[in-house]
Amino acid sequence: MLYEIEKVKSYENEPKRRWFFDHEIDLTVWFDENDRIIGFQLCYDKPENPHALTWWEKSGYHHHEVDDGEKDGTLSPKGIPILLADGIFEKDRIANLFYEKSRDMDPEIVKFVYDRLVKHSTSGETI
């Protein structure tokens, strides 16, 4: 189940955000000054094959593979995680996983995110 991380660090000039955590998925939601959702990022399939679907009110959807910075087979220190372009988004699987994990969350946030997961992309579509 997703549970909220209560003390989320805020950054100057960044909208207010809330962070929800589970061992398989994470959700970050950004709000404007009127507490209206203006963006979210859903990270899923962690830790084995992490991906991130980001939605912003002004720019729409962005889908990425997460390179966690691990150096396979080397003794180098771990690098900084980065997002790499990755177009395939399994809408139905991810929407169902999110819905299953979000039962204890604020229903308005769940509805908002779930609606955008199922409404604006097609399974297997590059977004």
Side-chain angles (χ1 to χ4, degrees):
M1 283 295 160
L2 282 160
Y3 66 90
E4 187 165 7
I5 305 297
E6 295 292 333
K7 295 183 180 184
V8 177
K9 182 177 180 176
S10 59
Y11 297 94
E12 189 174 334
N13 299 320
E14 181 185 61
K16 181 178 96 172
R17 66 187 167 118
R18 292 174 67 185
W19 176 23
F20 302 88
F21 171 83
D22 177 84
H23 291 290
E24 293 180 69
I25 64 175
D26 281 352
L27 175 67
T28 302
V29 183
W30 289 274
F31 299 85
D32 69 10
E33 58 279 347
N34 298 314
D35 283 335
R36 191 176 59 83
I37 296 173
I38 57 171
F40 69 85
Q41 182 174 74
L42 181 69
C43 296
Y44 63 92
D45 288 350
K46 50 176 234 184
E48 294 84 20
N49 187 27
H51 284 76
L53 178 72
T54 307
W55 175 86
W56 285 103
E57 181 177 65
K58 293 184 179 181
S59 62
Y61 293 91
H62 307 278
H63 188 248
H64 296 92
E65 175 185 3
V66 179
D67 178 342
D68 66 3
E70 290 291 339
K71 308 284 192 236
D72 291 331
T74 69
L75 297 176
S76 301
K78 181 176 177 172
I80 296 171
I82 59 172
L83 298 176
L84 305 171
D86 187 48
I88 302 298
F89 176 64
E90 299 175 70
K91 169 191 77 132
D92 294 333
R93 181 177 72 84
I94 303 309
N96 289 334
L97 176 65
F98 169 72
Y99 193 73
E100 184 180 302
K101 297 282 187 175
S102 64
R103 292 186 185 150
D104 294 335
M105 286 177 52
D106 177 334
E108 289 181 29
I109 294 174
V110 173
K111 181 175 179 1
F112 186 95
V113 172
Y114 183 81
D115 285 351
R116 274 147 190 84
L117 291 175
V118 298
K119 197 184 287 186
H120 293 288
S121 66
T122 304
S123 289
E125 176 183 337
T126 299
I127 53 176

